[in-house]
Amino acid sequence: MALLEIRDLSKVYQRDAQRIPVFEGINLNIVAGEFLVLMGPSGSGKTTLLNLVAGLDEPTTGTIRVSGAEVTAMSRRDLAAWRSHHVGFIFQLYNLLPVLTAYQNIELPLLLTHLSKQDRREHVMTALEVVGLSDRADHYPRQLSGGQEQRVAIARAIVSDPTLILADEPTGDLDAQSAQDVLTLMQRLNDEYNKTILLVTHDQRAADRGHAIMHLDKGVLTG
Amino acid sequence: MKIPLIYNIRSVRRRPVSTLATALGMGLVVLVFIAMMALSRGFRAAIVETGSRENVLVVRSGADNELMSGLSRSTAQTIISMPFVAKGPEGRPLASPEIYVLVSLERLAEGDALVVARGVSPQAFEVRKDVKVIAGRMFNPGAPEILVGKSIVGRFAGTEIGETINFASRDWTVVGHFAAEGSAFESEIWGENEQFMPAFRGEVFQSVTFRMYDPADFESIKQTLESDPRLTVSAQREYNFYANQSVLLTQVLSFAAIFIAGIMAIGAVFGAVNTMYAAVSARAPEIAVLLTLGFRPLSVLSSFLMEALVIALIGGMLGCLFALPLNGIMTSTTNWASMSEVAFAFRVTPDLLLRGVIFALAMGLIGGFLPARRAARQPIVQAARRP
Ligand SMILES: Nc1ncnc2c1ncn2[C@@H]1O[C@H](COP(=O)(O)OP(=O)(O)OP(=O)(O)O)[C@@H](O)[C@H]1O
Ligand SMILES: [Mg+2]
């Protein structure tokens, strides 16, 4: 069975009387352990699709299932809880709260669990180690480079051991070297830790790191 | 409430100017609130601490205050010789038939004010154990001598020992000062009743205050006095008599404190609303991150409310800091119940400070609510897209 199952998904934005269809009737299966890259021109609806999968937005029609749970049928409240357990999200920008240290940022998702302070500490330190920033635990985001910030964001996305990692252009704002570091890290998460990843990118070199590439264009998804 | 408080504390610290400006606004409101309550408390304390629970104060039936009362010499004599009146060491009754008049004295600052001149019996200082001569000496019976309460020493002309004050067409020599544990007696001038009587209204006393043998007998004493057909008097515990005089002004002052501070608070609340709306809109991306991570809208709401409370707490503490130096400062007002000037100190007590802080927190809660709700309700996607 697929880890992520998207059936007949449509998203139509309604602005006043105007109908703005983003995509209609999309179908997609992602099996566990997959590293899928989603590409497409600007405005094609990649972010919209990712937001729908994460339950941050509601589709017009269609269903999304993650490990059998029907995301599209959950209440806002249930979604929040579900998201904290099952989805790690990495944005292009504004991932970290500027007033919290790297450690505190990574700890945030764990505050929604019942883990003790000691257990949380272990998880956070492990995540920091995975992204290679153990020595930066007490640094604030402004004291980190853009690449390091994204790695902290990745550490936060994996700290609660989610099923699915969604990344929306995580390297879009980085220089070439930092982008390579971040991508290498994501590849390792997939290889070594067997994380299922859906990565949105414009960058062909980023796309090459994945197992498969899908294209979203004019509302149609092609493999 | 799962979003850590440190997030709010640090966010507040990151914009010190707007935080301090908002907190300062609240602090001023708290200052005004505490100052007015301290005024009311100080006044109340001065009046309430006047008089003892062991004493009975008798006035003519129907008189709310001593000014309106009148008791003949024979009435006074009858009361004093009652068996429940305590006796002093020499067997004299511990009682003080008193003359109570208002005299106009010249303030050192400016203008005149009415001051209580009380003619007391030589036993008065035994009847009222809290009243003590603290400088100079007791007046000599038969002499035109007076003692000045310590609150008005230095506030009125001629109140130093050895000086003279002219009232009732006579010069009175100040021979001493007395203290009465902060009570309203300290705002009075005391002389001998037999000296004051001819100088003022003639053969009437205004009140008789006496010590009870057994304070537990008060109810039956009251009954005996008030039902005696020769007397037509009303009897109260001395303590209650003066306490009742403070009720009206205390209530007016407390009401004014809440009313004026309340109006000012509206301004401060708007300040908080503005600050918090600005914070919420500036931090839309952060809110989106929190919601994306799975924090519930309710957590976001309480987090921003908490932030408003943090600012309010700073404001409350600033207000307390401003208000503390007021403690003990002397001021005076006219006691409406007796029409005389009463001097007293501002009383900034710990419970008032606490109320000030709670007042500030209430402002924060009210001012923070709408912005916090906006934060909690904002669609995640919209916020995350913002550049
Ligand atoms: N709230 C909204 N209301 C109306 N239209 C919207 C809204 N959000 C997005 N859209 C539209 O939906 C379409 C898809 O947007 P989306 O952000 O998903 O594109 P994208 O593929 O992520 O683009 P980019 O590569 O630039 O990030 C765009 O045409 C956009 O204008
Ligand atoms: Mg996008």
Side-chain angles (χ1 to χ4, degrees):
Chain A
M1 193 185 73
L3 176 78
L4 172 66
E5 245 184 84
I6 298 176
R7 287 283 161 275
D8 294 322
L9 195 70
S10 310
K11 180 69 185 179
V12 180
Y13 283 110
Q14 196 80 41
R15 193 173 276 162
D16 303 325
Q18 205 185 352
R19 241 174 125 261
I20 308 167
V22 183
F23 43 71
E24 276 170 299
I26 280 188
N27 288 290
L28 176 67
N29 279 352
I30 301 181
V31 294
E34 178 80 87
F35 185 166
L36 186 72
V37 177
L38 182 62
M39 298 188 77
S42 187
S44 58
K46 304 180 296 297
T47 297
T48 304
L49 182 61
L50 228 52
N51 286 341
L52 288 172
V53 172
L56 299 174
D57 198 359
E58 285 172 26
T60 310
T61 60
T63 55
I64 298 170
R65 285 169 191 279
V66 176
S67 324
E70 192 173 335
V71 179
T72 38
M74 289 186 210
S75 69
R76 247 188 99 137
R77 223 183 111 148
D78 291 344
L79 274 174
W82 170 81
R83 214 165 31 241
S84 71
H85 286 105
H86 298 279
V87 182
F89 211 108
I90 305 157
F91 299 102
Q92 177 177 356
L93 291 168
Y94 297 115
N95 274 298
L96 305 182
L97 303 192
V99 296
L100 299 186
T101 62
Y103 181 96
Q104 289 164 332
N105 265 289
I106 297 169
E107 192 186 21
L108 280 173
L110 300 180
L111 297 177
L112 294 163
T113 66
H114 296 293
L115 293 179
S116 69
K117 199 176 158 98
Q118 186 53 44
D119 287 346
R120 293 204 299 267
R121 173 157 204 93
E122 270 168 36
H123 280 70
V124 173
M125 291 320 287
T126 308
L128 272 167
E129 217 169 285
V130 169
V131 301
L133 289 174
S134 300
D135 53 338
R136 299 304 176 107
D138 294 327
H139 284 52
Y140 287 91
R142 70 186 131 75
Q143 299 167 320
L144 299 171
S145 73
Q148 288 167 334
E149 271 191 65
Q150 283 309 60
R151 278 148 67 196
V152 172
I154 291 170
R156 186 179 61 196
I158 59 170
V159 75
S160 56
D161 199 19
T163 330
L164 186 61
I165 292 177
L166 303 174
D168 195 356
E169 299 187 47
T171 58
D173 210 40
L174 301 182
D175 62 72
Q177 185 53 50
S178 303
Q180 291 314 307
D181 293 348
V182 165
L183 290 167
T184 306
L185 178 57
M186 297 201 63
Q187 216 169 8
R188 259 186 65 212
L189 292 181
N190 179 251
D191 286 347
E192 287 176 35
Y193 300 89
N194 209 32
K195 293 286 164 208
T196 309
I197 298 176
L198 179 51
L199 168 73
V200 167
T201 185
H202 281 292
D203 178 1
Q204 188 56 51
R205 276 181 305 175
D208 293 341
R209 305 291 192 112
H211 301 162
I213 302 178
M214 304 284 286
H215 288 272
L216 185 59
D217 196 2
K218 302 196 178 68
V220 183
L221 194 60
T222 49
Chain B
M1 249 274 304
K2 287 175 170 163
I3 300 170
L5 189 58
I6 191 78
Y7 169 62
N8 305 105
I9 292 172
R10 293 211 186 125
S11 297
V12 162
R13 243 184 17 201
R14 224 161 60 117
R15 43 193 165 86
V17 176
S18 78
T19 299
L20 272 183
T22 312
L24 207 64
M26 293 180 169
L28 289 179
V29 177
V30 169
L31 167 66
V32 167
F33 175 74
I34 294 180
M36 297 196 65
M37 290 301 283
L39 198 69
S40 155
R41 293 289 178 87
F43 173 74
R44 205 176 100 94
I47 300 295
V48 162
E49 282 161 18
T50 306
S52 143
R53 288 169 209 266
E54 297 170 20
N55 292 349
V56 174
L57 189 145
V58 184
V59 290
R60 191 181 64 208
S61 146
D64 296 335
N65 58 49
E66 290 168 278
L67 216 50
M68 287 162 60
S69 170
L71 302 173
S72 69
R73 197 178 272 282
S74 69
T75 301
Q77 203 51 54
T78 309
I79 296 167
I80 289 173
S81 51
M82 296 263 188
F84 43 70
V85 176
K87 303 275 190 300
E90 306 114 52
R92 267 191 291 189
L94 291 179
S96 179
E98 297 183 345
I99 311 292
Y100 181 98
V101 286
L102 298 179
V103 297
S104 178
L105 294 191
E106 189 193 333
R107 273 207 186 105
L108 283 181
E110 55 165 307
D112 293 349
L114 293 176
V115 170
V116 173
R118 187 185 289 275
V120 301
S121 77
Q123 280 74 45
F125 287 82
E126 284 174 77
V127 176
R128 300 196 178 93
K129 284 181 288 191
D130 293 342
V131 184
K132 292 189 182 70
V133 177
I134 51 167
R137 59 170 173 82
M138 172 69 181
F139 59 76
N140 283 327
E145 294 175 348
I146 52 172
L147 293 161
V148 176
K150 80 173 214 211
S151 296
I152 54 176
V153 173
R155 295 174 82 88
F156 289 91
T159 50
E160 296 301 337
I161 293 172
E163 295 184 317
T164 57
I165 300 176
N166 186 284
F167 57 80
S169 328
R170 273 178 79 173
D171 277 342
W172 306 83
T173 307
V174 178
V175 295
H177 295 155
F178 67 91
E181 309 220 315
S183 75
F185 288 138
E186 290 184 353
S187 298
E188 298 182 354
I189 288 174
W190 284 17
E192 198 199 350
N193 49 7
E194 295 300 342
Q195 294 299 310
F196 278 16
M197 188 183 267
F200 292 104
R201 304 187 186 173
E203 286 290 298
V204 273
F205 294 108
Q206 270 64 54
S207 63
V208 174
T209 298
F210 65 84
R211 174 87 57 77
M212 292 176 272
Y213 257 124
D214 183 356
D217 285 345
F218 173 73
E219 286 307 324
S220 78
I221 292 172
K222 179 181 169 70
Q223 175 75 28
T224 309
L225 286 169
E226 292 184 350
S227 63
D228 191 319
R230 293 169 297 170
L231 299 177
T232 60
V233 296
S234 89
Q236 292 182 53
R237 282 189 198 270
E238 188 189 23
Y239 170 86
N240 288 348
F241 182 85
Y242 292 110
N244 287 341
Q245 292 193 341
S246 74
V247 171
L248 180 63
L249 190 53
T250 303
Q251 279 177 349
V252 168
L253 285 175
S254 303
F255 175 78
I258 291 167
F259 186 74
I260 294 174
I263 287 178
M264 287 181 66
I266 296 173
V269 164
F270 273 111
V273 169
N274 256 326
T275 304
M276 289 310 295
Y277 267 134
V280 167
S281 71
R283 271 147 61 199
E286 296 179 29
I287 297 166
V289 166
L290 290 167
L291 291 170
T292 304
L293 291 178
F295 287 98
R296 290 222 237 113
L298 193 64
S299 303
V300 172
L301 180 105
S302 45
S303 175
F304 275 85
L305 268 187
M306 210 36 94
E307 190 158 326
L309 289 178
V310 169
I311 297 174
L313 188 67
I314 297 172
M317 295 197 302
L318 281 178
C320 290
L321 219 62
F322 299 152
L324 267 180
L326 289 178
N327 192 31
I329 290 181
M330 291 296 291
T331 182
S332 65
T333 183
T334 301
N335 180 9
W336 299 343
S338 64
M339 294 308 292
S340 62
E341 176 113 330
V342 178
F344 57 92
F346 278 87
R347 280 211 176 185
V348 182
T349 53
D351 84 296
L352 260 192
L353 295 177
L354 184 69
R355 276 171 197 233
V357 170
I358 291 173
F359 194 153
L361 292 178
M363 285 188 270
L365 210 59
I366 295 168
F369 181 73
L370 288 179
R373 199 176 63 157
R374 177 184 287 181
R377 285 189 171 181
Q378 88 179 3
I380 311 177
V381 176
Q382 223 72 27
R385 277 172 190 274
R386 282 182 38 155

